Amino acid sequence: MRRRSGVILAAIGLGLAGCGGEAKAPGGAWQSQMGEVRMAVRGSEDDPMITRRLTAYKTYIGKATGLPVKLYESSDYNGTIQALSSGQVDIATMAGGGYANVDAQIGDLAQPILTVRQAEGDTGYYSGLLVMADSPYRSIQDLKGKTLGYVDFNSTSGYLFPRSVMREQGIDPDTFFGKSSFAGGHTQAVMALDNGQFDATIIQAGGGDPEHGFTTGAHFTMARRGVVDLDDFRIIWTAGPIPNSAVVVRTDRPQPFIDAVRGAMAALPYDDPEVWRDIGQPDGAAYTAVTREHYTPIIKLRADDIAARRSGERQ
Amino acid sequence: MKRLFLAVGAVLLSAAQAQAPALPLRIAEVTGETTPCAPLAASAPAGQRAYMALLVKRLQTEVFNCPMADAAAAAEALSGGAVDVAWLDGAAFAPVSGQTRSILTVRAAEDLNRLPVVVAVPRAVQAQTLADLAGASLVFGGQAKASLDVPRRTLADYGASADFFGDQVEAQDHEEAAARLRAGQVQAMVLHAGAWQKLCRGDQPGEDLCEDLRVVWRQRPVASKAWVIRSDMSDDRRFRLIGIHVAMHNEAREAFTWAAGDGAGEFEPTEAKALLHQGPTVGS
């Protein structure tokens, strides 16, 4: 009886092996190795809107990979950075500055695979120097000795990147301006400018380029809300483009996982436009494949900044 | 005994799934003559060999080249299950669209995404379709490629070339275009979908700032050629194929140049029926 049972089981096994390969629900070696997909996300699941968005996204990635998807929620940038660097998660979406931090920690063990290309074709955004339209300032040179607002000490577009470009252009931001301070956020920076606290402020600008103008940024959002009037402002200088956020994977995961998740995410705006919009991506935008090279300027910027701090050149 | 039977069966099932070799991938190539699928000849172009080698490595399976007399033969072979992937145009795809789907197309180096285009009118206006807008005056939401070239090309795909409409003006941006439409200076507004979204999305969830307007037409440009697979291909293989191809311009340049052709920028995913018109065409 025992022998007979063994023969039957072996036969069942062989029969199943013969059916493998093109089953609708994948169950191959890489899925067994992974067990689940662990993705780092930012935001609070207490917010029903975010929960709805993440649930749809999780369902899509789960169906595409054939694996359960576990979301690791982090309330700040650093949480996502550390989760990926430590290998606690397999994949995460993060700003260029965040990826530069991961790259500094684990190098080739993490790789950016996708970024968003906007409808207009750009894969980045800009820092802009905003002044009041009725002010006499027409170029950055006109701001020598004047007051300047930055967004935040850790902001790529609102602090790090424009300062780096200024230095490249022969302007030392620490001595060129009469006084500079942090507004605390993009919206606060525009408000402070509007209230006369600064002569100029650094802002983020996107949805276009210096030649054709911009369509996104805090001052556009505030104008839509009726808080400010766009005609009251003028951008007199820009720095960029700054690479958009990256989808970053751990390279010590199976290559088929990386290919499958990259394919599924790249196909999302075409396969399921509603989920694409639900995760906050704009209509007409799509993912495009990138490599570490795309983020080289940010990686260099971060390295330079750290080196300058260690040498005591910057506070 | 029954429990043991089930437990061992489950282990065998899991092992079988984990270790079953993936089926080969059979790629149709239009060569002028249909011959049986076979491994690629050593005399094949270096780019083609690089392409096949990449797929072998990344899919961890055999990849066969399937010479086909023409695109129609490739489509028929695809729909009949004799090949798994074929590079088709709309004419070859149409007869087999019930059993197949497109997954990838090629984006030219300086081209934009295949972004959807929206034609909107004031809500009170009677027009219901693109055909109803024959002779209507239009405003475009800008002069950049995304605001002008893509919408014009997409409208032309559906038979609505410039001469189908009346007067056409180019606004500075989508806000000015909407202002002109709302002021009655033009009869219809043409925006790319991203601009329409920016125009209409309010700050509160569900808030619609365009309740006074109505979309009468929304389409992506029709893809001229695409990689087509059978609709029953597993999600695992489909997404891995897409994932490999979209990064090929970065990871395997020689393979990419052969597979995508001169002037190509990258492979771009598509919707299932990207090769077909998704509504009636208009005009002459």
Side-chain angles (χ1 to χ4, degrees):
Chain A
M1 179 63 190
R2 277 190 184 171
R3 190 173 165 208
R4 199 176 157 205
S5 300
V7 171
I8 291 169
L9 288 173
I12 292 168
L14 286 173
L16 290 167
C19 294
E22 283 286 281
K24 267 284 182 186
W30 73 267
Q31 282 97 348
S32 302
Q33 201 178 329
M34 292 287 296
E36 63 184 4
V37 178
R38 301 168 304 167
M39 303 179 81
V41 295
R42 282 199 60 215
S44 167
E45 291 195 1
D46 294 338
D47 183 334
M49 176 63 81
I50 291 175
T51 304
R52 187 174 68 83
R53 286 173 174 179
L54 293 180
T55 300
Y57 189 47
K58 196 171 147 177
T59 303
Y60 175 82
I61 297 296
K63 181 176 178 294
T65 57
L67 290 172
V69 177
K70 199 167 180 179
L71 298 179
Y72 284 73
E73 190 187 331
S74 169
S75 58
D76 60 21
Y77 291 113
N78 196 45
T80 307
I81 290 165
Q82 297 315 327
L84 190 68
S85 298
S86 66
Q88 190 186 356
V89 299
D90 310 304
I91 186 165
T93 300
M94 54 182 61
Y99 166 61
N101 191 328
V102 171
D103 182 74
Q105 293 189 52
I106 60 170
D108 290 346
L109 273 175
Q111 176 193 11
I113 56 168
L114 294 168
T115 192
V116 171
R117 181 174 48 233
Q118 309 289 355
E120 293 82 3
D122 25 49
T123 54
Y125 58 100
Y126 289 79
S127 293
L129 189 50
L130 194 72
V131 298
M132 299 305 293
D134 59 2
S135 74
Y137 314 124
R138 295 279 166 185
S139 76
I140 192 168
Q141 298 298 339
D142 297 336
L143 289 168
K144 186 169 176 58
K146 304 297 178 188
T147 56
L148 175 71
Y150 291 113
V151 173
D152 185 278
F153 183 72
N154 287 311
S155 170
T156 306
S157 63
Y159 182 69
L160 284 172
F161 196 85
R163 284 168 59 86
S164 165
V165 174
M166 284 177 201
R167 283 189 208 100
E168 283 171 15
Q169 295 178 356
I171 294 172
D172 180 349
D174 292 328
T175 57
F176 181 81
F177 301 102
K179 186 184 171 191
S180 61
S181 52
F182 296 109
H186 291 272
T187 303
Q188 293 92 323
V190 176
M191 286 304 296
L193 176 71
D194 198 37
N195 293 336
Q197 290 171 250
F198 304 133
D199 293 311
T201 190
I202 297 286
I203 52 146
Q204 180 182 315
D209 56 45
E211 187 187 345
H212 298 100
F214 299 100
T215 54
T216 62
H219 58 308
F220 285 98
T221 308
M222 293 164 75
R224 273 213 316 273
R225 289 177 184 158
V227 180
V228 297
D229 187 339
L230 276 182
D231 292 338
D232 289 346
F233 302 102
R234 178 170 62 232
I235 292 177
I236 59 170
W237 179 87
T238 58
I242 303 164
N244 282 340
S245 292
V247 176
V248 186
V249 292
R250 293 275 310 194
T251 56
D252 52 2
R253 302 319 192 239
Q255 183 66 45
F257 161 71
I258 297 173
D259 289 335
V261 79
R262 173 163 51 198
M265 293 178 83
L268 180 57
Y270 305 92
D271 272 13
D272 201 333
E274 201 173 324
V275 173
W276 177 253
R277 282 190 290 269
D278 274 353
I279 61 169
Q281 298 292 6
D283 264 350
Y287 277 124
T288 185
V290 288
T291 62
R292 181 181 185 276
E293 195 181 351
H294 189 70
Y295 293 92
T296 303
I298 302 293
I299 290 168
K300 183 180 178 304
L301 178 65
R302 189 177 181 284
D304 290 348
D305 194 61
I306 289 171
R309 280 179 206 291
R310 283 184 180 153
S311 70
E313 186 186 314
R314 283 174 218 159
Q315 296 303 308
Chain B
M1 181 64 189
K2 193 177 175 185
R3 278 188 185 170
L4 172 69
F5 216 77
L6 288 172
V8 177
V11 169
L12 282 171
L13 171 62
S14 173
Q17 284 181 327
Q19 290 164 16
L23 294 176
L25 183 74
R26 299 160 301 173
I27 303 175
E29 184 191 9
V30 175
T31 59
E33 186 186 3
T34 300
T35 57
C37 296
L40 190 66
S43 58
Q48 189 173 15
R49 281 187 277 121
Y51 176 70
M52 299 293 257
L54 177 72
L55 294 182
V56 167
K57 183 181 170 194
R58 296 283 275 274
L59 293 172
Q60 298 162 340
T61 189
E62 291 178 295
V63 180
F64 295 133
N65 179 245
C66 305
M68 293 285 151
D70 52 31
E76 197 180 323
L78 182 65
S79 113
V83 301
D84 304 302
V85 187
W87 179 242
L88 302 179
D89 60 15
F93 174 71
V96 299
S97 62
Q99 304 83 46
T100 65
R101 61 155 296 163
S102 54
I103 57 167
L104 288 160
T105 189
V106 171
R107 189 176 70 80
E110 298 303 321
D111 228 341
L112 301 174
N113 303 335
R114 288 179 50 254
L115 49 150
V117 171
V118 168
V119 178
V121 297
R123 185 163 292 281
V125 167
Q126 292 294 312
Q128 298 292 325
T129 66
L130 193 60
D132 295 337
L133 294 174
S137 55
L138 294 185
V139 61
F140 289 88
Q143 288 142 21
K145 213 170 178 178
S147 308
L148 200 57
D149 296 357
V150 174
R152 280 188 169 150
R153 197 175 71 208
T154 309
L155 286 165
D157 279 349
Y158 282 81
S161 301
D163 57 0
F164 175 79
F165 299 104
D167 292 341
Q168 291 160 51
V169 292
E170 298 155 17
Q172 202 62 34
D173 56 27
H174 56 277
E175 300 274 1
E176 186 194 323
R180 284 180 180 239
L181 180 67
R182 284 168 167 144
Q185 294 170 10
V186 293
Q187 292 166 295
M189 171 176 69
V190 185
L191 300 179
H192 66 76
W196 172 256
Q197 187 185 41
K198 279 177 204 161
L199 179 74
C200 301
R201 184 177 52 195
D203 294 322
Q204 302 305 316
E207 188 182 7
D208 180 4
L209 304 180
C210 295
E211 285 180 334
D212 58 328
L213 305 178
R214 183 160 46 82
V215 174
V216 295
W217 190 82
R218 179 188 169 111
Q219 296 294 350
R220 288 184 193 270
V222 178
S224 56
K225 284 198 161 187
W227 283 113
V228 179
I229 61 169
R230 275 197 319 284
S231 303
D232 61 359
M233 180 182 277
S234 70
D235 283 343
D236 178 57
R237 177 163 281 192
R238 172 162 69 98
F239 287 125
R240 282 169 69 186
L241 276 173
I242 294 171
I244 294 165
H245 280 80
V246 296
M248 202 180 290
H249 62 291
N250 290 328
E251 297 179 348
R253 197 69 209 179
E254 189 178 26
F256 172 75
T257 303
W258 181 84
D262 293 336
E266 63 190 79
F267 281 108
E268 179 182 26
T270 68
E271 65 279 19
K273 305 298 177 198
L275 288 164
L276 302 179
H277 290 90
Q278 299 303 305
T281 55
V282 298
S284 54

